[in-house]
Amino acid sequence: MIITYKNLVIRTTVGFLAFIGLGGIVEKTVSAEPYVQRTTAKMIKSNGQTNLYFKFQKPYRARLILHKTTGNYIKKTVTLPKGTIVSGVPDRDGHKFTTIHNGAVDVSYQLKKRVVKGYQSATLNFAVKYSSGILRQVKKPAYSLPYGHNILWTGKPVNLWPKRAVTSPSQIKITSDGYVESYHYHSVTAGDTTINYQVKPNSSVKINHVLKRGSSIYFYYRDHLKGVSDKRVRKAGPYQYRLTLTNKHTPYAFGDPDNDMFQYASFYSVGNRSYWTVDGASDVYDPATGTD
């Protein structure tokens, strides 16, 4: 596969792969050659997946959907402590929220680890009647990315999963409850789903402070995040390490032009490496022509 960003060319004979969820994929075979095309910040904003956030006002027992390397999924419960911030999607009655379902942004491994031993994936699943006594809406945390699942991958946005397996990209996940986690690619089959990253991160740190300046977000935490180019800035205390995420403001669309299926990506530098994140998707807009 050849990617030339200067000329915006992708040559491939393999079908387009659409991402779903946080680790699984579904393969779709198409006749067109997938490609990457520069797009605009306006299109990212129009098609970006925004997230709402909620804080639990009391401990709450939520479900985890668990997969092993073989067989079907099972359900277990995990207690989310009082004060846990989660991503949520509301049902509405007019302008009022009625029920909040789990959203796109994952919670940390720290909240899952008691029940996930022996499993390859663990997806949070809940539906909570909206009540200020149970959970309430809060502002988007300062550590959250503007759109998408709060997941960044090393490299460039290729729409070819086997290529990703060859290049073995690292993954950074910023959780709704304020952790930064790093993962290594590790593809296994779990039932009828492909799990591309294990449920347990290779390294995880709690974000203790966030600073925003211009296009950059600075995370401060106590311990080094392995596999990530953070910088030690203090010798002791909760702010010893700093990780810098900088939005490069070079948005791209990538996908299948024959079927008008596109995903939108933003590029970041994280430490001294290049990363990208999926902001959202559209099945009607053609970034090459600007038409529906």
Side-chain angles (χ1 to χ4, degrees):
M1 185 177 190
I2 300 172
I3 303 180
T4 306
Y5 278 83
K6 182 177 181 180
N7 298 318
L8 300 176
V9 175
I10 285 189
R11 300 175 187 172
T12 181
T13 57
V14 183
F16 173 68
L17 297 177
F19 299 103
I20 59 170
L22 300 179
I25 58 171
V26 172
E27 185 168 349
K28 176 174 179 171
T29 302
V30 296
S31 59
E33 290 189 351
Y35 73 104
V36 172
Q37 171 78 42
R38 267 300 293 269
T39 187
T40 65
K42 181 180 179 180
M43 291 312 304
I44 294 287
K45 185 176 181 179
S46 297
N47 294 283
Q49 179 182 27
T50 57
N51 299 296
L52 299 180
Y53 290 87
F54 300 84
K55 179 183 286 188
F56 278 98
Q57 303 301 292
K58 59 177 65 175
Y60 180 80
R61 289 178 63 82
R63 291 186 300 275
L64 283 177
I65 309 299
L66 303 168
H67 278 94
K68 285 191 174 182
T69 54
T70 58
N72 296 323
Y73 70 86
I74 68 166
K75 297 179 181 180
K76 288 191 175 184
T77 58
V78 61
T79 298
L80 303 179
K82 178 182 177 180
T84 299
I85 295 176
V86 293
S87 167
V89 178
D91 291 335
R92 301 172 186 263
D93 181 6
H95 295 292
K96 295 182 179 180
F97 295 159
T98 56
T99 303
I100 308 300
H101 305 267
N102 50 290
V105 181
D106 199 9
V107 296
S108 67
Y109 174 73
Q110 293 297 318
L111 294 179
K112 304 174 183 177
K113 63 183 182 180
R114 293 183 181 180
V115 298
V116 299
K117 185 177 181 180
Y119 294 89
Q120 290 290 334
S121 74
T123 303
L124 190 68
N125 183 272
F126 62 81
V128 185
K129 183 177 179 181
Y130 187 69
S131 165
S132 59
I134 301 175
L135 81 172
R136 63 180 176 85
Q137 186 177 7
V138 295
K139 291 176 59 178
K140 182 174 74 70
Y143 46 77
S144 293
L145 300 181
Y147 306 105
H149 289 70
N150 276 13
I151 295 175
L152 301 109
W153 291 276
T154 52
K156 299 175 181 178
V158 295
N159 35 7
L160 188 66
W161 195 262
K163 176 67 174 179
R164 180 175 294 198
V166 172
T167 56
S168 301
S170 299
Q171 181 191 84
I172 294 174
K173 180 188 294 184
I174 305 164
T175 70
S176 64
D177 54 322
Y179 282 79
V180 184
E181 301 175 338
S182 66
Y183 296 81
H184 295 160
Y185 183 88
H186 179 79
S187 183
V188 296
T189 299
D192 58 358
T193 304
T194 300
I195 305 299
N196 301 302
Y197 296 90
Q198 294 190 80
V199 62
K200 182 179 180 180
N202 296 92
S203 186
S204 174
V205 294
K206 176 67 175 175
I207 301 169
N208 293 322
H209 182 63
V210 181
L211 180 64
K212 287 188 173 183
R213 287 183 177 174
S215 300
S216 296
I217 308 174
Y218 302 91
F219 297 157
Y220 292 85
Y221 40 81
R222 182 182 297 274
D223 301 307
H224 170 56
L225 182 64
K226 298 176 183 178
V228 175
S229 298
D230 53 16
K231 182 178 181 180
R232 191 165 192 178
V233 294
R234 290 178 175 84
K235 293 184 177 179
Y239 313 131
Q240 293 185 47
Y241 289 87
R242 181 179 66 209
L243 182 65
T244 304
L245 278 68
T246 301
N247 190 338
K248 307 304 290 184
H249 296 297
T250 52
Y252 276 83
F254 61 106
D256 167 19
D258 273 8
N259 291 288
D260 292 325
M261 295 177 61
F262 297 96
Q263 295 190 75
Y264 295 86
S266 291
F267 288 84
Y268 284 78
S269 62
V270 182
N272 60 3
R273 301 187 70 181
S274 176
Y275 284 77
W276 65 285
T277 182
V278 175
D279 292 310
S282 171
D283 60 359
V284 296
Y285 176 74
D286 185 346
T289 63
T291 60
D292 292 338

